[in-house]
Amino acid sequence: MPYELIALDLDGTALNPSNQVAPATVAAVQTARKRGVRVVVSTGRICGEAAEFAHQLGVDDYMVTSGGATLSSLREKRCFMRLSMPWETSVRAAAALERIGLSTMVYVAESLLITPYDALSFGQYKSNEGYTENKRVVPSVAEWIAEGRVMVDKIFSRSLDTSLIAHTRQVLSRIPGIRIMSSASDNVELVSPAADKGVALSMLCRLYGVEPSRCAAIGDSENDLEMLSAVGLPIAMGNARDDVKARSRYVTADNAHDGAAQAIEWVLKQA
């Protein structure tokens, strides 16, 4: 069966270990689109960051962003659908993360909210345009959310201490009304229980008039599991977690060896 749409995760998938788009992936995307196959980004990143890489890839307009909490437009660099968390829940989670001391970013529509401390922490490894353009530094993210009663799309926290990550997941599990996941071993991501990449990709497919069974998806991490379950052809990267590989019909090469490009080429051969 020919597939009409391919969903591409970014980190660990379309991006190499240096967080760059490889020429082979760009070429594969363009080959797919020339054959009439839509290619879309499906990522945990906020729409402004996703758009930066999506432009380099040359994909279609609609994107799954913020781990499935938003649908965004590449051309407009804005989200047009949000499955947000209630502000009370977000305040509790943000306050807990501030107490624990993890570096944290809070996604609110097109903005990334961070504290001055977190700006220093993330600035050590994040310098891409999509991050610098969309970040907003506030004294306390939890207080900012509480005072404005702001609906939050996603909370992202990072630490290289895996034991601290495990402790954080345990603490957050006591807060009702959030879904806890991860895109790598060094982070924790929070979204609404109603939001995941599978739900968002199915909504995106309806916008394009494509059945999810006629779609392929390529991913590597925990936050890709629902997306892979939602499509007809799930594909895991060679660097993917074991449970992601178990959920997939095909395992490609890793993201250091053009695995995403190889996966796209393999999809195009299915008929």
Side-chain angles (χ1 to χ4, degrees), residues 41-112:
V41 161
S42 179
T43 179
R45 295 194 185 226
I46 199 169
C47 58
E49 279 198 289
E52 178 182 353
F53 296 111
H55 278 298
Q56 295 175 33
L57 287 162
V59 295
D60 284 88
D61 182 40
Y62 296 146
M63 303 182 291
V64 173
T65 46
S66 299
T70 59
L71 288 180
S72 300
S73 166
L74 169 59
R75 289 194 300 267
E76 298 178 16
K77 283 191 179 181
R78 70 174 185 89
C79 54
F80 56 85
M81 185 284 296
R82 299 173 64 194
L83 294 171
S84 306
M85 294 180 280
W87 70 269
E88 300 97 330
T89 300
S90 302
V91 169
R92 288 186 61 185
L97 291 164
E98 287 182 10
R99 287 194 300 271
I100 295 169
L102 266 67
S103 300
T104 299
M105 292 188 291
V106 174
Y107 298 32
V108 178
E110 288 81 38
S111 297
L112 287 170

Side-chain angles (χ1 to χ4, degrees), residues 185-198:
S185 60
D186 66 354
N187 67 57
V188 174
E189 301 181 350
L190 309 178
V191 293
S192 163
D196 63 55
K197 285 187 177 182

Side-chain angles (χ1 to χ4, degrees), residues 47-254:
C47 58
E49 279 198 289
E52 178 182 353
F53 296 111
H55 278 298
Q56 295 175 33
L57 287 162
V59 295
D60 284 88
D61 182 40
Y62 296 146
M63 303 182 291
V64 173
T65 46
S66 299
T70 59
L71 288 180
S72 300
S73 166
L74 169 59
R75 289 194 300 267
E76 298 178 16
K77 283 191 179 181
R78 70 174 185 89
C79 54
F80 56 85
M81 185 284 296
R82 299 173 64 194
L83 294 171
S84 306
M85 294 180 280
W87 70 269
E88 300 97 330
T89 300
S90 302
V91 169
R92 288 186 61 185
L97 291 164
E98 287 182 10
R99 287 194 300 271
I100 295 169
L102 266 67
S103 300
T104 299
M105 292 188 291
V106 174
Y107 298 32
V108 178
E110 288 81 38
S111 297
L112 287 170
L113 304 179
I114 53 177
T115 67
Y117 166 80
D118 293 331
L120 291 173
S121 176
F122 284 115
Q124 294 177 13
Y125 76 100
K126 289 179 74 70
S127 59
N128 57 295
E129 183 179 338
Y131 167 73
T132 56
E133 281 187 352
N134 292 281
K135 71 176 180 179
R136 179 174 179 179
V137 181
V138 297
S140 167
V141 173
E143 290 180 9
W144 194 90
I145 297 168
E147 290 171 2
R149 298 194 174 191
V150 174
M151 301 290 280
V152 169
D153 303 326
K154 175 181 167 182
I155 299 177
F156 174 93
S157 291
R158 182 176 185 267
S159 174
L160 297 177
D161 185 341
T162 54
S163 62
L164 188 58
I165 291 289
H167 170 68
T168 299
R169 291 186 74 128
Q170 190 174 47
V171 170
L172 294 172
S173 68
R174 305 186 193 114
I175 301 174
I178 58 174
R179 177 169 177 262
I180 305 169
M181 57 185 180
S182 173
S183 58
S185 60
D186 66 354
N187 67 57
V188 174
E189 301 181 350
L190 309 178
V191 293
S192 163
D196 63 55
K197 285 187 177 182
V199 170
L201 182 58
S202 296
M203 296 172 71
L204 184 152
C205 286
R206 284 198 290 272
L207 292 173
Y208 278 132
V210 177
E211 291 294 326
S213 61
R214 306 291 292 274
C215 299
I218 310 167
D220 71 302
S221 62
E222 180 184 8
N223 71 351
D224 294 317
L225 287 168
E226 287 80 8
M227 174 178 75
L228 296 173
S229 295
V231 300
L233 184 56
I235 299 171
M237 295 294 293
N239 51 285
R241 292 162 41 123
D242 289 342
D243 53 351
V244 173
K245 291 179 179 178
R247 190 78 56 98
S248 301
R249 281 177 48 196
Y250 177 71
V251 178
T252 184
D254 63 34

